[in-house]
Amino acid sequence: MGTWLSKQWLILLMMLTPLVLFISVYDQLPDEIPTHWNARGELDDTMPKPWGLLPLPLTMLFLNVMFWVIPVLDPKKNVESFQRPLFIVQLLTNLLFVVLALITVGVALGLKLDVPLIISYAVIFLLLTLGNFMGKFRPNYFVGIRTPWTLESEEVWMKTHKMAGWVWVACSLGLLGLRLWLPNEVFYLIFIPVVLFMSFAPMGYSWWLYRQQKQS
């Protein structure tokens, strides 16, 4: 337990941050909590408190439980071999939710924030970091490009994740460059197709690699 706490104390602290933040300003928050913004940065959905505050900490709890049980449940038992990259992904995911909590409270208290701009930078940073570590993920059933072809062949897994790493880094840097000068509504028209390409291109590549492997 002591070893686990020494590795996860920062994650636990980040999990508590939204709860402490929400409780500390609860009486100052309006009855309606902002929950969604459109691509132009306009608030277009709210929820009554406290229900508008609950999804963030509950989602963080669910995701972290998943991160904690992955090493135990993985039949391949390969997760320990890339525990550090997995921890960094977990850390950045929690940081993203802390940012969302700060945005929610800030806007609820009347701050004028460009929410789509802030969130897009945070997501791009997360994707860029994932791309940098993609090649270090080893075969498992929970994290990475998990297609029938990567799970069938370790060689296909390794080559697919190496390719995916390059694609994710290149696309993230491209999105970062576009983010610097495109307005929100135009950027998001490009952002969604690019993210879909980042998701599906490695999947198609894994199928092609597996087919080539079987034909050789």
Side-chain angles (χ1 to χ4, degrees):
M1 185 66 177
T3 303
W4 184 84
L5 282 176
S6 68
K7 295 179 179 179
Q8 292 289 320
W9 67 269
L10 184 55
I11 299 296
L12 294 171
L13 181 62
M14 296 174 79
M15 288 178 64
L16 288 173
T17 298
L19 284 174
V20 173
L21 178 64
F22 293 157
I23 292 171
S24 64
V25 299
Y26 187 83
D27 291 338
Q28 304 171 46
L29 294 175
D31 292 334
E32 293 291 322
I33 304 298
T35 57
H36 191 269
W37 294 260
N38 62 29
R40 292 186 296 274
E42 301 165 344
L43 178 64
D44 61 6
D45 198 11
T46 61
M47 288 183 65
K49 70 175 187 183
W51 310 114
L53 301 173
L54 291 176
L56 275 173
L58 290 178
T59 303
M60 289 181 75
L61 176 62
F62 172 77
L63 289 174
N64 282 296
V65 168
M66 290 299 297
F67 276 110
W68 292 331
V69 302
I70 281 173
V72 179
L73 298 179
D74 181 30
K76 291 181 177 291
K77 301 301 179 185
N78 284 339
V79 177
E80 292 296 334
S81 66
F82 58 92
Q83 193 65 51
R84 184 172 177 272
L86 187 63
F87 173 75
I88 292 174
V89 172
Q90 182 185 11
L91 188 68
L92 290 174
T93 303
N94 279 274
L95 180 59
L96 177 61
F97 278 93
V98 171
V99 170
L100 291 175
L102 291 171
I103 290 173
T104 300
V105 170
V107 173
L109 293 177
L111 292 180
K112 301 298 183 182
L113 301 175
D114 190 339
V115 177
L117 180 69
I118 298 171
I119 292 177
S120 61
Y121 274 121
V123 172
I124 290 171
F125 181 62
L126 177 61
L127 294 174
L128 180 61
T129 306
L130 278 170
N132 274 296
F133 286 104
M134 191 73 73
K136 297 183 179 180
F137 291 157
R138 297 299 178 264
N140 70 94
Y141 289 104
F142 299 97
V143 183
I145 313 298
R146 302 175 312 281
T147 67
W149 311 290
T150 56
L151 294 175
E152 180 71 18
S153 167
E154 184 172 354
E155 179 185 357
V156 172
W157 174 284
M158 299 304 295
K159 288 183 177 179
T160 297
H161 283 74
K162 184 177 180 180
M163 173 267 192
W166 283 103
V167 168
W168 281 47
V169 168
C171 289
S172 297
L173 291 175
L175 288 171
L176 182 60
L178 293 172
R179 177 70 280 188
L180 294 173
W181 61 278
L182 288 179
N184 286 327
E185 55 267 32
V186 177
F187 173 78
Y188 278 101
L189 289 175
I190 300 172
F191 176 78
I192 295 174
V194 170
V195 171
L196 289 174
F197 172 77
M198 293 166 64
S199 302
F200 287 104
M203 295 171 63
Y205 183 65
S206 71
W207 170 82
W208 181 81
L209 282 175
Y210 186 77
R211 185 181 177 192
Q212 293 298 110
Q213 187 183 75
K214 288 299 182 182
Q215 290 176 353
S216 61

